[in-house]
Each structure stands twice: as structure tokens, then as C-alpha cells.
Amino acid sequence: MLSRMGTDVQAMHMSPNTSWSATTDSIRQDLSHMAGLSGAQMKAAMPAYHARMTRLIDLHRQMIAKTKP
């Protein structure tokens, strides 16, 4: 999903803003960190991860909306 969104941004010929870049970096760090978590740790990490993914989805939607006439 993260890769597809990045491809979409490139296809729209848009430069990612600082919010987009920071959020994608945080999500990549989350994914790397989550690989070694226990079930309880994963459960604790999910709300923050979910919030970042929601933020990224919203940013993606805003970018798409800007490209539509």
C-alpha cells in the first residue's frame, strides 16, 4: 500500500511535501520495528500506527483531489 501510494504521487507529477515524507518515514520505521514485537507490544503499537496510516491516506486523497478538474 505504501509503495502504491508513492507510485501514485510520482504518476501525478507531484512532489511529496514534508508532511508526506515524514509520515511515510514514520510508517517505514513502524513496519521495521513491528517485525520483532510480541503480541502485546504489537497491540500497544497499533493505535499510533493506525493514526499514521490514516494521516497518510488522507494526504493521498488530498493530492488526488488536487489533480482532478
Side-chain angles (χ1 to χ4, degrees):
M1 187 164 136
L2 191 59
S3 178
R4 176 57 195 244
M5 287 179 167
T7 300
D8 287 349
V9 169
Q10 290 176 355
M12 291 183 280
H13 304 290
M14 298 184 89
S15 298
N17 61 25
T18 55
S19 182
W20 176 272
S21 298
T23 305
T24 56
D25 286 347
S26 293
I27 291 169
R28 284 188 177 97
Q29 289 175 14
D30 287 343
L31 294 172
S32 178
H33 177 72
M34 286 177 176
L37 297 182
S38 69
Q41 292 169 322
M42 179 70 82
K43 185 175 181 178
M46 286 309 293
Y49 173 73
H50 182 264
R52 283 188 276 277
M53 283 302 299
T54 300
R55 186 176 320 124
L56 189 66
I57 290 166
D58 290 341
L59 290 169
H60 186 258
R61 286 181 179 148
Q62 291 169 16
M63 287 181 186
I64 290 173
K66 288 180 183 179
T67 63
K68 292 184 179 181

